[in-house]
Amino acid sequence: MQVVATALAAADAAELIGRAAALIFDVDGTLAETEELHRRAFNHAFASHGLDWHWDRAIYKKLLRVTGGKERMRAHHDGLWIAPPLPDTDIAELHRVKTAHYAELIETGCCPLRPGVTDLLTAAKARGQRLAIATTTSHGNIDALLSQALGTRWAADFDAVVAGDDVRHKKPAPDVYLETLARLKLGAADCVAIEDSRNGLIAASRANIPVLITRSMFFRDDDFGEARVVLDELSELGAAKQKN
Ligand code: XBP
Ligand code: MG
């Protein structure tokens, strides 16, 4: 039965994607499995600052419920019940070091786009669909990843790029998606959000945008009940197309 369900999901996904005026992509976990590099970059920053914090994958998976690297570090520190709270300046400096190391890791080319992403971007452009990004991470991180994967002129193909610091509230608040719709001048029902996490699903759903989920490393077992379609990889779209 699983094979049939997967085939139906891919066919539904191809139909959902094909009729959208715009595809709005999440970044981390959706375009590429970047969270493992974020995790390593956080640990590098902690070690550089003499902090005895080490986020293994189990700890990081729990901390990923908090979106935003700065907010995630503060949530971790709060959880240690150590007074006084870390000053914002310390959090900002840790995040600066982390972000610089993350870019160095990305620039090694060790984190390619996930299967099917490049093909979908190419096919969407060929169909005249518009492309956008709605993410919690920073513009610097988006540029590092997509310059490496798509070349330095990657932004020319995207009509809107909205990052975490562009809005007041990060996912699961709908802010990044509402701002993206405003910049695209499109209605929610005319678009599809492509996400990997429950926080992302909730954010897009609160903006009334239909969501296609691709399961990722840290969020594989999240509850995606509200999603229109759940795939393991975007490459399944191509397979579905070939069947039709
Ligand atoms: C994922 C996030 C980000 C990254 C770390 O963003 O929540 O916080 O984990 O990046 P999305 P920063 O899935 O919405 O792309 O340290 O720059 O926040
Ligand atoms: Mg994500």
Side-chain angles (χ1 to χ4, degrees), residues 47-82:
S48 305
H49 279 60
L51 286 170
D52 65 351
W53 301 359
H54 180 78
W55 291 353
D56 63 19
R57 289 184 179 177
I59 290 171
Y60 195 59
K61 182 178 171 72
K62 288 197 184 78
L63 284 168
L64 274 170
R65 290 194 198 107
V66 178
T67 57
K70 295 188 283 284
E71 296 81 357
R72 195 168 300 142
M73 289 189 281
R74 180 164 299 295
H76 176 70
H77 182 268
D78 292 351
L80 299 175
W81 296 98
I82 299 168

Side-chain angles (χ1 to χ4, degrees), residues 26-28 35 38 68-69 72 95 98 135-137 141 171:
D26 165 58
V27 173
D28 293 305
E35 289 296 358
H38 282 301
R72 195 168 300 142
H95 198 246
K98 174 262 174 183
T135 176
T136 304
T137 194
N141 286 348
K171 299 175 187 176

Side-chain angles (χ1 to χ4, degrees), residues 223-243:
D223 170 10
F224 296 123
E226 301 88 336
R228 291 293 180 83
V229 185
V230 179
L231 300 177
D232 284 325
E233 295 293 355
L234 286 172
S235 48
E236 294 168 49
L237 290 171
K241 276 250 170 304
Q242 277 153 20
K243 284 204 179 81

Side-chain angles (χ1 to χ4, degrees), residues 214-232:
T214 53
R215 292 187 187 280
S216 66
M217 177 180 181
F218 284 101
F219 297 111
R220 183 156 295 282
D221 48 10
D222 267 13
D223 170 10
F224 296 123
E226 301 88 336
R228 291 293 180 83
V229 185
V230 179
L231 300 177
D232 284 325

